[in-house]
Amino acid sequence: MTLLFVELLNRLDKKKKCLCDNPFICLKGFAIFLFGFVMEQLFTEVLKNTVGRLRPNFFDVCRPDFSRIDCSQGYITNYTCTNDEHAASILRNSHQSFPSGHAAFSMYTAMYLIFYVQKRLNISYSHILKPTMQAALLLVALLCCVTRITDFVHHTSDVTAGIILGVIVACAVFYSLGTKCLNVRECTKASNSEDKERNSTPTLTGCQTTLTLLQNEFTLQRQPDSFSSEYQNRNSNSANV
């Protein structure tokens, strides 16, 4: 929706309306967004299954049997969950805390849309609309990240790692693909070249002015000849007299 909204705002600007803009440019932006989303999810899932950090609510979800746990062994890897209220997928997800998937996805989405708005939104009727939209996107993403901590689903370090991951993927994807596929200055260059051609091409008024000047110059060149012939005739008449 944000991509369509940006393109609609561009179309509403009559001063900077560009007819050669591709109307399906938002589809390119969405395709690039999906590619970055797949990359972000791939990194997140690999890290989650590799690190295997316990969530803050792990003990409430699992309720392990402490009578069978020997704390003198150090880090406990063998335990038995006694809570039957949750499915096996929820129990498995309880030890996949690092990094935060919600934080990575929300920050990736916010940063990609911020870059898209900065690149594509080019309007003249409002100077504060662009920074307002960008600030709103960043605020929503940060609120999503904070709620993962306040809901005791992730540790602060998990959310921080998710934010960093989302920002890195968004920057890498947008500046490697978005800057090439979402070029907003193509129409500006085309309009400037058209203006140069129009200025270099002589108009009808210029041609008429040139013809007028040539006719006046031709008339002035012919006048001395008529004056000299008339002067010679007068001299010949006076000599005859």
Side-chain angles (χ1 to χ4, degrees), residues 40 44 99-109 111 138 141-146 148-149 156-171:
E40 177 266 322
T44 301
S100 174
H102 287 77
F105 173 71
S106 61
M107 189 55 62
Y108 164 75
T109 303
M111 294 305 299
L138 183 60
L142 291 177
L143 288 176
C144 179
C145 296
V146 171
R148 305 304 291 175
I149 300 175
T156 304
S157 57
D158 303 334
V159 174
T160 303
I163 292 174
I164 296 174
L165 177 61
V167 172
I168 292 175
V169 175
C171 293

Side-chain angles (χ1 to χ4, degrees), residues 53-74:
R53 186 179 186 180
L54 301 180
R55 295 181 183 271
N57 60 353
F58 169 77
F59 290 103
D60 292 333
V61 174
C62 180
R63 295 178 186 175
D65 187 2
F66 289 98
S67 61
R68 300 180 180 181
I69 296 176
D70 186 6
C71 296
S72 61
Q73 297 179 359

Side-chain angles (χ1 to χ4, degrees), residues 21-226:
D21 263 346
N22 188 356
F24 301 103
I25 194 69
C26 58
L27 295 180
K28 292 183 179 180
F30 186 68
I32 298 172
F33 171 80
L34 289 180
F35 174 77
F37 168 72
V38 173
M39 293 295 102
E40 177 266 322
Q41 288 295 313
L42 179 62
F43 282 108
T44 301
E45 292 300 324
V46 170
L47 290 174
K48 279 180 175 292
N49 290 278
T50 302
V51 177
R53 186 179 186 180
L54 301 180
R55 295 181 183 271
N57 60 353
F58 169 77
F59 290 103
D60 292 333
V61 174
C62 180
R63 295 178 186 175
D65 187 2
F66 289 98
S67 61
R68 300 180 180 181
I69 296 176
D70 186 6
C71 296
S72 61
Q73 297 179 359
Y75 188 79
I76 306 300
T77 58
N78 296 322
Y79 55 88
T80 302
C81 294
T82 60
N83 190 357
D84 298 332
E85 298 177 358
H86 302 288
S89 59
I90 298 178
L91 294 175
R92 183 174 61 255
N93 191 34
S94 63
H95 56 80
Q96 294 179 346
S97 181
F98 184 90
S100 174
H102 287 77
F105 173 71
S106 61
M107 189 55 62
Y108 164 75
T109 303
M111 294 305 299
Y112 181 88
L113 293 178
I114 288 173
F115 294 148
Y116 187 90
V117 171
Q118 183 66 29
K119 181 72 176 178
R120 288 292 304 168
L121 188 59
N122 187 18
I123 56 177
S124 60
Y125 51 82
S126 178
H127 297 287
I128 63 173
L129 182 59
K130 180 186 290 188
T132 301
M133 291 178 60
Q134 293 173 332
L137 291 170
L138 183 60
L139 178 61
V140 172
L142 291 177
L143 288 176
C144 179
C145 296
V146 171
T147 55
R148 305 304 291 175
I149 300 175
T150 57
D151 293 341
F152 300 102
V153 182
H154 286 287
H155 302 279
T156 304
S157 57
D158 303 334
V159 174
T160 303
I163 292 174
I164 296 174
L165 177 61
V167 172
I168 292 175
V169 175
C171 293
V173 170
F174 190 86
Y175 284 101
S176 62
L177 298 176
T179 53
K180 298 178 181 179
C181 300
L182 305 176
N183 195 355
V184 74
R185 296 184 178 180
E186 292 179 354
C187 298
T188 305
K189 293 180 180 179
S191 61
N192 291 335
S193 62
E194 290 178 359
D195 293 338
K196 291 181 180 179
E197 291 179 357
R198 291 176 182 177
N199 294 330
S200 61
T201 303
T203 59
L204 182 61
T205 304
C207 293
Q208 291 178 350
T209 304
T210 305
L211 291 174
T212 304
L213 292 175
L214 290 174
Q215 290 176 356
N216 294 333
E217 185 177 358
F218 180 76
T219 304
L220 292 174
Q221 290 178 355
R222 295 286 297 176
Q223 285 179 358
D225 296 336
S226 61

